[in-house]
Amino acid sequence: MTAVLADRRVRQLTTLARTTPGVLTGLALALIVIGLLAGVFTALGVQSRAQAVDDLAVRSGPLSVAAEEIYRSLSDADATATGAFLSGGLEPATARQRYEADIAQASGALAVAVAAHDPADITARNSSLATLSEQLPVYTGLVETARADNRQGLPLGAAYQREASNLMRARLLPAAQDLYLAESAQVNADQNSAGALPVAELLLALIVLGALVTGQVLLRRRTNRIFNAGLLAATAAAVVSLLWVAVASVAVMANIHASRSDGSAQVEVLAKARIATLSARADETLTLVARGAGQPYQADYEQVSKQLGDLLNSAGSLATDDAVRAKIDAAKQGAATWASVHAKVRAADDGGDYGTAVGLVTDQTSAQGAGTAFDNLDKNLRDAINQTRSAFDRAVAGANSALTGTIVGVTVLALVVAGGSAAGIWRRLKDYR
């Protein structure tokens, strides 16, 4: 008996579904579901894109800056400490202040990086952040010991200074470089996510439009009505949603492309050039600290200097702003000046005039000093990096502005699609009462 009733109910529903009211009811339900689902998934897609843009602005972008600052500060601190050590006795006050400022900046940037990462990232095996946090106090302790011995005229100070520099080059700087590479990779990943073509969102919008057009054709055949105000309103809302998402996405893609071409791509090369500059400066001073045993440092200096030249040429070809290009040209000139002074340093040291060599390396006041040439080169690179970072920030801000209101907009328009579909077909259903 129950089976008979169930079978009868199924036949009744099937018969009803074939009638015009049944078809219209099914059409209304389908359009409402399609419109709402498309709205939800489109809003989620826009939200994901907006989150990637926001990460560029407040997380991966600033963290890549902090990571580069850690490397720069640590490398400059080591070069400054080594150069001050060459002075013998009480180091110049300016060198001491520069060293302390570098350590403070590195510690501050490290604190920012640590605070932004999960504890598991810090405690993981071979963690860059753990290495930096643990070894930085060891390095500063070795420098202070070398400084104290040097002030007393003890030869042991040179050994401590070399040990400190070896720790810096073997542990701290590689960890800082790994951190910078990881943060730069995250910037690239966020750019890829934010600047990707919104294929899913556009397909969903086209599906909604196709469903609405099909619904209107079907409604016309069933009711002989040419226009339906509700479905027309729903179609208009779907078109507006499609155009809104398309225009916003194109604007975001353009800004993200600019953030890469005018910003991060150039920053990456310029940062590598600055790192090479700092490494060469450390090699230059360590060669003299080694007192006759500095051939490995000199060999590394020559290799790094060649890399620096290649990086500056690459940075010049990537430059999209005249002001940045001018800074890179000035950096090239500074590198050439430094190379000329360095040749004099090596000639003096190789000729047994150690005092003149030390004087040239530590001189940061006259145009003939290696320290002056290094500072000028580093300043031009720093200015170029700051300008390209400003371009990156402006482009990311533009991408963020392009998405303003989009989530709310597509959500409201999805509700209009669903409501217009329901209202339009409901009016036709009333004709069959």
Side-chain angles (χ1 to χ4, degrees):
M1 187 66 178
T2 302
V4 173
L5 291 175
D7 183 62
R8 182 181 300 172
R9 177 65 65 181
V10 170
R11 288 199 302 271
Q12 290 175 345
L13 291 175
T14 302
T15 301
L16 178 61
R18 292 172 180 172
T19 64
T20 297
V23 171
L24 295 182
T25 300
L27 176 61
L29 291 175
L31 291 177
I32 291 171
V33 171
I34 291 173
L36 291 177
L37 287 178
V40 169
F41 285 110
T42 299
L44 290 175
V46 174
Q47 174 61 36
S48 176
R49 187 183 300 271
Q51 183 61 55
V53 173
D54 188 61
D55 285 343
L56 283 171
V58 302
R59 183 175 173 82
S60 58
L63 284 179
S64 68
V65 174
E68 195 269 332
E69 180 60 29
I70 290 172
Y71 193 105
R72 186 214 66 79
S73 297
L74 290 178
S75 187
D76 189 65
D78 191 49
T80 302
T82 306
F85 181 87
L86 288 174
S87 301
L90 184 63
E91 74 274 22
T94 54
R96 182 64 183 174
Q97 292 169 359
R98 179 168 176 166
Y99 167 80
E100 291 177 344
D102 282 334
I103 294 299
Q105 289 173 356
S107 298
L110 180 58
V112 170
V114 169
H117 286 79
D118 295 332
D121 295 333
I122 301 169
T123 58
R125 185 178 181 183
N126 298 325
S127 166
S128 299
L129 291 172
T131 299
L132 290 166
S133 299
E134 294 167 0
Q135 298 301 319
L136 182 55
V138 177
Y139 169 80
T140 55
L142 289 170
V143 170
E144 290 307 311
T145 302
R147 177 172 177 255
D149 288 344
N150 194 38
R151 294 179 66 179
Q152 298 176 49
L154 299 177
L156 191 60
Y160 277 109
Q161 186 61 49
R162 286 196 300 272
E163 184 178 355
S165 292
N166 288 336
L167 175 63
M168 176 67 73
R169 297 158 76 93
R171 299 289 303 279
L172 287 166
L173 291 182
Q177 185 174 33
D178 289 343
L179 179 63
Y180 175 70
L181 292 175
E183 299 301 346
S184 296
Q186 186 59 53
V187 168
N188 188 60
D190 288 338
Q191 286 173 322
N192 290 338
S193 179
L197 184 68
V199 176
E201 293 95 320
L202 296 179
L203 283 177
L204 285 171
L206 291 175
I207 288 172
V208 172
L209 281 174
L212 287 169
V213 171
T214 301
Q216 290 178 80
V217 171
L218 182 60
L219 190 64
R220 181 181 179 182
R221 290 176 178 175
R222 288 280 179 168
T223 64
N224 293 320
R225 304 253 184 184
I226 297 177
F227 297 110
N228 183 284
L231 290 182
L232 285 176
T235 302
V239 170
V240 171
S241 179
L242 171 62
L243 292 176
W244 193 335
V245 172
V247 171
S249 298
V250 169
V252 170
M253 291 167 64
N255 279 286
I256 293 301
H257 175 74
S259 78
R260 180 175 280 135
S261 62
D262 299 340
S264 59
Q266 295 184 50
V267 169
E268 183 177 355
V269 176
L270 289 167
K272 290 179 179 179
R274 199 176 187 194
I275 288 170
T277 300
L278 293 163
S279 180
R281 176 60 174 170
D283 285 328
E284 183 176 59
T285 54
L286 284 170
T287 302
L288 295 181
V289 171
R291 297 296 295 266
Q295 289 82 5
Y297 298 119
Q298 174 59 21
D300 191 64
Y301 170 90
E302 293 172 355
Q303 180 180 357
V304 172
S305 294
K306 184 179 182 305
Q307 293 174 356
L308 174 60
D310 293 339
L311 288 167
L312 290 175
N313 289 332
S314 179
S317 65
L318 290 174
T320 55
D321 182 84
D322 289 340
V324 173
R325 191 175 293 108
K327 291 296 182 181
I328 295 172
D329 289 340
K332 290 179 180 179
Q333 182 59 46
T337 301
W338 186 16
S340 176
V341 177
H342 182 78
K344 296 178 182 178
V345 171
R346 296 311 322 140
D349 187 32
D350 294 340
D353 192 354
Y354 183 76
T356 297
V358 169
L360 287 170
V361 167
T362 57
D363 185 0
Q364 293 181 295
T365 57
S366 69
Q368 290 73 34
T372 303
F374 160 75
D375 286 341
N376 290 337
L377 171 57
D378 185 64
K379 180 181 182 301
N380 284 313
L381 288 174
R382 181 184 69 235
D383 291 344
I385 289 173
N386 289 339
Q387 289 173 359
T388 50
R389 280 192 178 134
S390 294
F392 173 86
D393 292 338
R394 288 194 300 271
V396 171
N400 191 45
S401 297
L403 289 173
T404 301
T406 304
I407 296 176
V408 174
V410 298
T411 301
V412 171
L413 290 170
L415 293 175
V416 173
V417 170
S421 299
I425 295 177
W426 173 249
R427 292 191 63 182
R428 299 286 72 81
L429 283 171
K430 290 196 300 182
D431 296 340
Y432 293 90
R433 288 189 173 183

